[in-house]
Structures are given as C-alpha cells and as structure tokens.
Amino acid sequence: MKKNNLKTLTVIFALGLSVLTGCEAGTKDPGEPPAEVISGKSTNVENNSTQTGSSTNEEETDKGDVSGDEILADAISVRIGRDGTTEWNVDMYNNAAALTMLDYLSGSALLFPTYSYDEEGGFVAQSVRGSYTRDDETTIADVRTGELYLFSGGQLRFYFKDIEGANITATPVGYYTDTEGLTEAVQEAYTSNLNDEWGVDVYFWITKTLE
C-alpha cells in the first residue's frame, strides 16, 4: 500500500472513532493503527443468527409487548474481538436513542473500542457521542445476556451476562438475537486483549445492516 493511502485510511479510522466514542477514548492515545485494523476485513465470517429477526433469548418476555414497528430487526451486525469472525445480529428498538446511534453508522465495518470491562457487573461499556433524550428511560430489575442500554451521560452498556437484581435506570437500545456463546465470546475477547497497546478492553466491529 502506498504511504499516502495508508495515511488517508488512518485519518478515516480516527474520524470513525471520534464519532462514536466519547471523551474517555480521547484520553487514551493509541498512536497510528496498523493497516489490518484500519481495513476491517476478515475472512471466514460466520452468521451466528439462524433465525433472522427473531430472538433466541429465553427471557424474551421481559422485553415487554412490542409491535413489529417498534423493533428494527437485524439493524446492525457485530463481530466481537479485533480478530472476531462470527457475525452476531442485533435488533434495535425504534426509539430516539437507537435511531441516533444508527445515524452514526454506515454499511462499512466500524471498529468500536470499549474501555470498561466489568466481569462482576456483566457488562462492557463506553461513552458515545450524540444528544440523547431520556424519554424512553425506564427501570429494569433483571438484566439479560445480550441486552444493550444507554445510561444518562451517554454511557452505552452491553451486558454479556444475566444480572439478577441489577435495578438499573437506563434507555433500552437493543439486544442480540442469539445469545448462545455470547458470554464466552466477550470473555475470550477481553482475555486475548489484556496487553492491547491502546488500552482497549474489548474491540467490536459494528456494521449497519438496516436498509
């Protein structure tokens, strides 16, 4: 790759992170990322959801009674870990917070770093940019594996474990449609990334698939 092209890709990468991540990411200067991180390409990608637009989460009833127009089926696909190859489908709620996040995404894979990994709390988190209302905020007693929530202050949390008695107050954003193996995937991604030179706990590749 020509030197000028590599510089251009580096700038694009930096801009992508600045759009989605908040001030916390800005305090950790990762330096210039290698070309393979910028490109976002991986081989042997597998689709981990065999039932498009449906959830295999056994606690689906906890999501409440929602009609079809309140769910954005398969809104995004996610790969867990910088070298992850499995695609996980995510349904988003049709609310202001989720729509704002989707506006920042495109059909190209965006590298999304998280800097907070809480094994006991069962989540990874990162601040995200954007102006968000709290109109859809609610109190959730028990959190389930695969659920995504936006907290006041713009912190986005992805729960990779069931947490009984969590008693959180946040805006539901979406959920992974298949939770089998999800906990292990996040834990493995964290373990393999312990010596990350940019201080990232877990990487995610996020692609907007909603048409």
Side-chain angles (χ1 to χ4, degrees):
M1 177 182 293
K2 293 183 179 180
K3 186 175 182 181
N4 288 340
N5 289 341
L6 181 56
K7 287 183 177 180
T8 300
L9 288 174
T10 302
V11 170
I12 293 173
F13 173 84
L15 288 175
L17 291 187
S18 67
V19 167
L20 270 183
T21 59
C23 296
E24 183 178 359
T27 62
K28 300 174 182 291
D29 182 9
E32 183 175 310
E36 63 268 18
V37 172
I38 298 171
S39 68
K41 295 179 180 178
S42 73
T43 57
N44 300 322
V45 174
E46 300 174 357
N47 190 323
N48 201 65
S49 178
T50 57
Q51 296 181 338
T52 302
S54 63
S55 173
T56 58
N57 192 332
E58 293 180 356
E59 303 294 336
E60 185 175 3
T61 54
D62 284 357
K63 298 181 177 63
D65 295 327
V66 293
S67 59
D69 60 353
E70 291 179 322
I71 295 294
L72 305 174
D74 297 336
I76 63 174
S77 66
V78 178
R79 281 181 277 147
I80 300 173
R82 200 173 80 176
D83 300 318
T85 58
T86 299
E87 294 279 5
W88 303 80
N89 290 335
V90 175
D91 285 357
M92 304 284 280
Y93 292 109
N94 192 359
N95 59 34
L99 292 174
T100 298
M101 292 179 188
L102 287 170
D103 283 344
Y104 287 125
L105 299 174
S106 72
S108 299
L110 175 67
L111 184 63
F112 184 81
T114 59
Y115 292 92
S116 297
Y117 174 92
D118 190 325
E119 178 69 27
E120 183 177 353
F123 66 83
V124 291
Q126 175 60 15
S127 295
V128 292
R129 293 194 183 279
S131 178
Y132 299 96
T133 71
R134 299 174 67 178
D135 295 343
D136 297 302
E137 193 173 74
T138 186
T139 299
I140 300 95
D142 302 321
V143 176
R144 303 304 174 191
T145 302
E147 294 180 339
L148 296 137
Y149 293 97
L150 180 69
F151 286 72
S152 60
Q155 186 190 61
L156 178 66
R157 288 187 186 180
F158 159 45
Y159 283 86
F160 59 91
K161 285 183 178 180
D162 289 348
I163 302 296
E164 302 288 342
N167 294 317
I168 62 172
T169 300
T171 300
V173 175
Y175 52 91
Y176 283 62
T177 60
D178 187 359
T179 61
E180 183 177 357
L182 198 57
T183 300
E184 294 77 10
V186 176
Q187 291 171 329
E188 290 171 7
Y190 172 73
T191 300
S192 66
N193 215 54
L194 286 175
N195 296 319
D196 182 75
E197 60 184 318
W198 302 316
V200 177
D201 284 333
V202 181
Y203 284 103
F204 295 85
W205 288 103
I206 303 176
T207 305
K208 181 179 178 180
T209 53
L210 184 69
E211 296 182 357

